[in-house]
Amino acid sequence: MTDEAGPWLVVGLGNPGREYAGNRHNVGFMVADLLAARVGGRFGRHKRAVAEVTEGRLGFGGPKLVLAKPLTYMNLSGGPVAGLAQFHKVPPGRVIAVHDELDIEYGQVRVKCGGGEGGHNGLRSMSKSLGTKDYVRVRFGIGRPPGRQDPADYVLSDFSAAERKELEFLVDRAADVVESVVTRGVEPTQNLYHGA
């Protein structure tokens, strides 16, 4: 795939603020930070959208990435995403949302294009603001809460000590999945990573 169709917009979903930094809900920010490090970029406030943004290329002369972390809370992520997509002329099919996913067990990373939001407020906001559900999702499994814990409390709690032992590896894997989507496409990436 060449860069002829323009850049990709990769959005890490999360909540701004230090108190949320280690939350399960903020794993999208963690993946965005790693991707920024890989392309040698540093996040800075965007002049038009309520988001931190950096740009870079995958490899020498590779596809251009616009990496973003919305600075609104999760349920309002769509506005900044739509603003960035418009500003950088990125069609929905080249927008990748990286987010936590309750319906996938911890340790699994999945990718799909389109479909429902599964109750995820960040995705719901994105679909509404973009006017379509046809964007790519890189879904980072966090599993269901234990016992009777409220899912809303669960996603806003930090990863457990046991989970943190694997977290760096899994964030790295999710970043690999994003790069694979950009360079290979969704279906080849599913074939490559969904069996693992």
Side-chain angles (χ1 to χ4, degrees):
M1 238 179 253
T2 65
D3 207 24
E4 288 163 13
W8 287 77
L9 174 59
V10 180
V11 183
L13 292 179
N15 285 310
R18 192 171 293 171
E19 67 271 33
Y20 299 106
N23 289 181
R24 291 179 175 90
H25 224 20
N26 269 43
V27 74
F29 277 15
M30 298 173 197
V31 175
D33 285 338
L34 178 57
L35 285 165
R38 287 185 181 183
V39 301
R42 293 180 63 170
F43 280 102
R45 185 70 187 259
H46 196 270
K47 58 183 176 243
R48 295 257 182 94
V50 186
E52 288 193 330
V53 177
T54 188
E55 298 177 23
R57 289 192 178 273
L58 280 183
F60 181 73
K64 182 180 175 185
L65 298 185
V66 177
L67 301 168
K69 297 188 293 184
L71 291 174
T72 56
Y73 286 100
M74 180 73 85
N75 60 343
L76 298 172
S77 302
V81 175
L84 288 168
Q86 191 174 19
F87 182 83
H88 291 281
K89 297 179 174 60
V90 180
R94 292 174 77 89
V95 174
I96 302 173
V98 185
H99 63 92
D100 58 306
E101 177 62 71
L102 285 163
D103 293 327
I104 297 174
E105 65 184 73
Y106 185 73
Q108 305 286 315
V109 179
R110 296 286 179 261
V111 62
K112 71 174 185 174
C113 187
E117 291 100 2
H120 195 289
N121 290 332
L123 295 179
R124 192 178 289 140
S125 178
M126 277 185 62
S127 297
K128 186 176 178 187
S129 295
L130 289 170
T132 180
K133 296 180 180 186
D134 295 333
Y135 52 89
V136 180
R137 300 97 184 273
V138 171
R139 308 156 76 206
F140 190 107
I142 60 168
R144 284 271 160 197
R148 294 174 177 231
Q149 186 180 7
D150 182 349
D153 293 334
Y154 177 69
V155 299
L156 291 175
S157 62
D158 287 358
F159 287 100
S160 69
E163 288 170 335
R164 282 198 298 272
K165 288 178 183 168
E166 280 188 278
L167 185 58
E168 193 176 332
F169 165 77
L170 295 171
V171 168
D172 194 65
R173 183 183 188 84
D176 289 346
V177 169
V178 171
E179 290 191 12
S180 178
V181 169
V182 171
T183 56
R184 295 184 179 96
V186 170
E187 203 173 316
T189 300
Q190 290 170 333
N191 295 337
L192 193 61
Y193 286 96
H194 285 200

